[in-house]
Amino acid sequence: MRTPLAAAGLAVLACAPALAQQDEIGLPLGSTPAAVQVQTLDGQSADLSQFVGRRPVIIQFWAHWCSLCEALKQDMIAAQRRYGREVEFILIGVAVNQSRERMRRHFEREPMPFRLYYDATGAAVRAYEAPGTSYVVALDASGRVRYTGIGDEQDVDLAARRALGR
């Protein structure tokens, strides 16, 4: 179970000045994260293994209050438009100062072209070793990590290309 101190660390890192770390944070490149359960915004259980290990996937750990996530939004949308037929794009809302309901209301006002999930238990945060919001992980079709990054200046296009093996 995630401790309040760990959750506070996630929140503090997310509010830090703009970061742009790639391939040096979170999961090691080449590793394969465990399949985890998250929730849809309607509260239904969803298993990430329906995508991970079946096709290339880009996952971003996200919060409505995260300014780095907001700054990364246009790059994520552009990459999804370019690679969306080949790569699954997923936002996972963290359970730090946000609820599933609050996240759902946010996306009703500001729709996003991604699969949207909520990590109520912190299982995805732990499995993907998410150090903060704006953390992006790209996995290839076999489920191996090909890119990790955090911050608002990530190269999401590069992440998608790596997920595709290009």
Side-chain angles (χ1 to χ4, degrees), residues 3-145:
T3 65
L5 183 57
L10 183 68
V12 169
L13 181 57
C15 296
L19 302 171
Q21 292 182 314
Q22 295 177 165
D23 298 335
E24 300 173 0
I25 192 157
L27 290 170
L29 295 182
S31 65
T32 305
V36 295
Q37 296 281 321
V38 290
Q39 291 180 351
T40 66
L41 297 188
D42 294 330
Q44 301 299 312
S45 181
D47 191 335
L48 291 181
S49 68
Q50 65 184 311
F51 309 108
V52 175
R54 297 177 184 258
R55 66 178 301 187
V57 177
I58 293 189
I59 298 172
Q60 180 188 3
F61 287 83
W62 182 93
H64 74 278
W65 45 259
C66 172
S67 60
L68 299 176
C69 298
E70 182 63 27
L72 193 58
K73 181 167 99 174
Q74 293 308 315
D75 290 337
M76 287 287 291
I77 290 171
Q80 193 276 338
R81 285 184 181 141
R82 184 169 185 184
Y83 301 102
R85 290 187 176 176
E86 302 170 276
V87 177
E88 193 69 45
F89 283 77
I90 297 172
L91 286 186
I92 298 178
V94 300
V96 177
N97 198 27
Q98 101 178 327
S99 66
R100 184 177 39 81
E101 179 62 24
R102 194 173 203 181
M103 190 174 159
R104 187 186 61 73
R105 284 193 314 262
H106 176 85
F107 287 119
E108 284 175 354
R109 288 187 310 271
E110 297 181 40
M112 297 283 276
F114 314 119
R115 291 194 185 270
L116 307 170
Y117 296 109
Y118 182 67
D119 187 21
T121 66
V125 166
R126 287 187 301 277
Y128 286 84
E129 299 180 20
T133 53
S134 79
Y135 177 59
V136 172
V137 178
L139 303 147
D140 65 17
S142 65
R144 286 187 308 265
V145 175

